[in-house]
Amino acid sequence: MSTAANVLQADLAISAEQCLRLYRKMMTIRLFEQQVNDLYTRALMPGLAHLYIGEEAVAVGVCEALRNDDYITSTHRGHGHCVAKGAKLDRMFAELLGKEAGYCKGKGGSMHIADPDTGNLGANAIVGGSAGIATGAGFSAKRLGKGQVAVCFFGEGALGQGVLYEVMNMAALWKLPVIYLCENNMYNEYTHYSETTAGDILTRAKGFGVHPESVDGQDVRAVYAMASKLVERARKGEGPSFLMANTYRYTGHHVGDVSRDYYRSKQEEQQWKTERDPIKLLGNWMTTERLADTATLDRIEAEVKAEVDQAVQFAIATPYPTVDKVEQDVYA
């Protein structure tokens, strides 16, 4: 389906109320991630984090099409997926700071947040490592017959992992309700994906009998429209699909990757930020269509900033787990 067709379908499918909700959610992810970077640079957060800034439309558009009891699996760049699926900001920040109030009681950190209550089966630091988990969730969903769907988020770097093709083969054979969602942000760490990934990506999925689609990952309306189509297809028992969302990360591979001139230009980064920013694209479209005015969008940003600031203060103030709990909730 072409981008134009995607946008047309999105125009028909998304109400003004939904647009404002999508805008708020994307803004929440953006401001959350900015605070994560601030916590890291102030040495308040242990370890590294991989920021989702620039890719917000993918997680938000997809999760808008899901029910609360649908499943997702995430990646090392997983904060956006967590927020989009309904995680609470204060508990997320607490987890990032290693505090007991965090989703994994401070033991998971940035790359291992999970929230079963919202269907989030967890982020995974292993590239492609959650593909089997998502496929297992899809198998469970089919056996239980409750109409649930599993979405497996992964980056284009996972296209080099054999486990992805093993589970896609199984999902196709058993017609499992799984959507394999490739967030192609163009770079495998510090290398452009064209140097690591041979052939046509969608043809790989098609070779396994998995229904392939692609979408403009910077257009949240297009993402939502396409995700809705694939989710409905999965619920009807028509088997797995593969969706490639073409997107871009504004920052480095991780928070320590500050100077990126050796693998991409500042001009390229600036062009994506000015011309293809997902929040600006939706905001401009809403104001043009008179679904919202600038004052409304500014008010949303101010409200979200206050929520994020409050969540950060909670995380800083809440205690660390005590030493006697070091062996609790550890299974491997």
Side-chain angles (χ1 to χ4, degrees), residues 78-95:
H79 304 161
H81 308 142
C82 294
V83 173
K85 197 60 170 70
K88 296 180 179 179
L89 303 186
D90 52 1
R91 294 191 64 188
M92 284 189 65
F93 276 122
E95 185 60 39

Side-chain angles (χ1 to χ4, degrees), residues 190-259:
Y190 318 116
T191 306
H192 195 276
Y193 81 98
S194 62
E195 298 181 45
T196 64
T197 310
D200 181 79
I201 294 173
L202 295 183
T203 301
R204 295 186 180 195
K206 191 174 182 180
F208 286 98
V210 175
H211 177 74
E213 293 280 4
S214 64
V215 72
D216 178 2
Q218 303 307 93
D219 185 342
V220 70
R221 295 179 295 123
V223 174
Y224 169 67
M226 181 59 73
S228 297
K229 170 187 169 182
L230 298 181
V231 167
E232 181 182 5
R233 184 180 180 277
R235 292 203 204 282
K236 289 164 60 177
E238 296 179 10
S241 57
F242 181 102
L243 177 58
M244 183 167 71
N246 296 300
T247 185
Y248 194 82
R249 57 170 166 83
Y250 291 176
T251 57
H253 171 60
H254 54 72
V255 285
D257 177 20
V258 178
S259 177

Side-chain angles (χ1 to χ4, degrees), residues 35-49 97 254-258:
Q35 280 288 353
V36 171
N37 189 61
D38 179 66
L39 290 168
Y40 173 78
T41 55
R42 288 196 288 149
L44 296 176
M45 186 185 78
L48 293 174
L97 298 188
H254 54 72
V255 285
D257 177 20
V258 178

Side-chain angles (χ1 to χ4, degrees), residues 34 37 43 74 124 133 179 203 216 247 252 257 282:
Q34 289 176 357
N37 189 61
S74 186
N124 200 312
I133 299 170
I179 298 170
T203 301
D216 178 2
T247 185
D257 177 20
L282 180 59

Side-chain angles (χ1 to χ4, degrees), residues 118-135:
T118 60
N120 183 354
L121 300 180
N124 200 312
I126 300 171
V127 174
S130 66
I133 299 170
T135 306

Side-chain angles (χ1 to χ4, degrees), residues 297-313:
L297 301 183
D298 289 344
R299 175 178 54 79
I300 290 174
E301 181 174 1
E303 290 173 354
V304 171
K305 185 179 185 304
E307 292 171 9
V308 171
D309 289 344
Q310 185 177 10
V312 169
Q313 294 308 313

